[in-house]
Amino acid sequence: MYSEKVMDHFQNPRNVGEIENASGVGTVGNAKCGDIMRMFLDIDENGVIRDVKFKTFGCGAAVATSSMATELVKGKTIDQAMQVTNKAVMEALDGLPPVKVHCSLLAEEAIHAALWDYAQKQGIEIEGLKKPKADISEEEPEENY
Ligand code: FES
């Protein structure tokens, strides 16, 4: 049911933890399944994501997608991180079962929420970034559950 990469990232998640005094912290949840993800970004003065850590209280697919998402944004610029969609994360994991696609949205939203927090603290705007939702289940189709 799950690809080897999903199993690997679920069993050995990368970049788990917290960053003290992070440049940006984002927390998103999905009220329908009850899962929560928190993403910490350390961004240097050139707008490069120097470090990233996450904590996920959620299903295996949520853990695997957040792990892969951190790998995809680490060392990247903010603009590049904005391109890390849930689709990109799923592709990097060789796919997810259809019922688990919504889990990958948590990772994308958590990155956006952390970038939003960073932008607020810096008093800047990030192109294409909208105010994130605390609960992403509002926009999701019911059949995904
Ligand atoms: Fe909630 Fe996967 S079931 S994130």
Side-chain angles (χ1 to χ4, degrees):
M1 180 175 170
Y2 288 115
S3 74
E4 273 178 31
K5 282 190 189 165
V6 173
M7 290 309 291
D8 178 30
H9 277 265
F10 169 53
Q11 280 163 346
N12 311 294
R14 326 298 199 260
N15 306 309
V16 174
E18 297 182 20
I19 297 175
E20 260 184 61
N21 303 317
S23 318
V25 182
T27 306
V28 294
N30 183 325
K32 282 188 191 145
C33 62
D35 292 349
I36 298 170
M37 187 180 298
R38 182 167 298 159
M39 192 74 73
F40 302 79
L41 296 176
D42 176 21
I43 300 174
D44 73 13
E45 58 283 358
N46 299 315
V48 173
I49 298 171
R50 201 159 34 189
D51 198 12
V52 49
K53 292 260 191 281
F54 80 93
K55 281 198 159 173
T56 291
F57 308 92
C59 74
V63 171
T65 50
S66 27
S67 168
M68 180 55 90
T70 59
E71 290 280 271
L72 293 177
V73 302
K74 201 171 187 174
K76 301 285 166 57
T77 64
I78 291 169
D79 285 349
Q80 288 168 332
M82 286 293 293
Q83 311 300 318
V84 177
T85 59
N86 76 307
K87 271 202 181 128
V89 173
M90 280 195 296
E91 273 171 29
L93 286 168
D94 295 336
L96 278 176
V99 292
K100 289 280 157 186
V101 168
H102 73 275
C103 313
S104 65
L105 285 168
L106 269 184
E108 178 185 323
E109 276 301 302
I111 292 171
H112 287 176
L115 286 173
W116 180 266
D117 181 45
Y118 167 75
Q120 295 286 105
K121 285 180 179 152
Q122 299 290 317
I124 59 167
E125 264 189 43
I126 296 174
E127 206 182 323
L129 184 62
K130 294 193 210 86
K131 191 172 194 309
K133 292 181 192 61
D135 172 14
I136 63 165
S137 70
E138 292 161 15
E139 270 192 3
E140 292 181 344
E142 286 291 334
E143 62 267 26
N144 276 352
Y145 289 84

